[in-house]
Amino acid sequence: MALFQSKQVVNRNPVPSLDGGNIVMPIHAEFVVPAGGIAVNDVVEMFGLNPALRVLDAIVHNTAAGAGATFDMGYLSGAYGRTGGTARTCGNEFIAGGDLNATTVKRLTKSVTADSDGSVENVSDNTIGWGLKVTGANWAAGTIVRTTLFVTSRQ
């Protein structure tokens, strides 16, 4: 199982946060599958999430990744942004078995009943990684996957 990271994580873009209020904020991320593709059970860290935020919705839109290509979308284990150490895993708190075999748009398919701060162990800081796990079949090189989380303050 390999770990890949979106351009936002690789570039160390600041993790968005809110100062309270009833504002809904989108968090965008993009990943382009590298040459050779990526295999089943590989994980893509799309971005970080401040644990003071609550996920309201998730959207994934993509180019075709190949026959049988699917994904899970959820929180990642381990420390956000880290590539070394213990292998990182990805849950399916937002979407399970999402279809990537054609150019499509997917929405949140599960009700998010647990907030992020209890879902993973992160000893380095409070930021929680979220992303995608390759399921079903390998993703083809050049596939573009764009994700958006809509979040609000938990206050």
Side-chain angles (χ1 to χ4, degrees):
M1 171 178 73
L3 174 67
F4 296 87
Q5 294 177 319
S6 72
K7 64 184 180 182
Q8 287 76 12
V9 177
V10 170
N11 292 338
R12 297 185 174 270
N13 289 10
V15 174
S17 64
L18 289 171
D19 292 330
N22 292 321
I23 298 168
V24 176
M25 175 180 69
I27 301 175
H28 304 287
E30 178 180 278
F31 177 72
V32 179
V33 177
I38 59 177
V40 171
N41 291 324
D42 286 350
V43 171
V44 179
E45 185 170 37
M46 295 302 286
F47 214 161
L49 181 67
N50 182 317
L53 300 178
R54 175 171 286 139
V55 175
L56 300 174
D57 201 357
I59 299 175
V60 177
H61 49 106
N62 59 279
T63 58
T70 58
F71 71 95
D72 290 343
M73 182 180 187
Y75 298 120
L76 270 66
S77 65
Y80 170 71
R82 297 265 174 97
T83 56
T86 306
R88 303 199 40 212
T89 60
C90 180
N92 63 4
E93 292 84 359
F94 309 136
I95 299 173
D99 184 8
L100 284 183
N101 66 10
T103 301
T104 57
V105 176
K106 277 75 50 196
R107 295 291 300 266
L108 182 76
T109 59
K110 294 182 157 194
S111 54
V112 180
T113 57
D115 287 319
S116 59
D117 59 358
S119 64
V120 296
E121 181 179 338
N122 187 341
V123 296
S124 68
D125 64 24
N126 292 332
T127 303
I128 305 298
W130 58 273
L132 309 169
K133 176 182 173 184
V134 179
T135 60
N138 298 349
W139 296 358
T143 300
I144 300 168
V145 182
R146 294 185 179 119
T147 57
T148 304
L149 281 189
F150 290 94
V151 299
T152 192
S153 174
R154 290 197 292 170
Q155 295 179 5

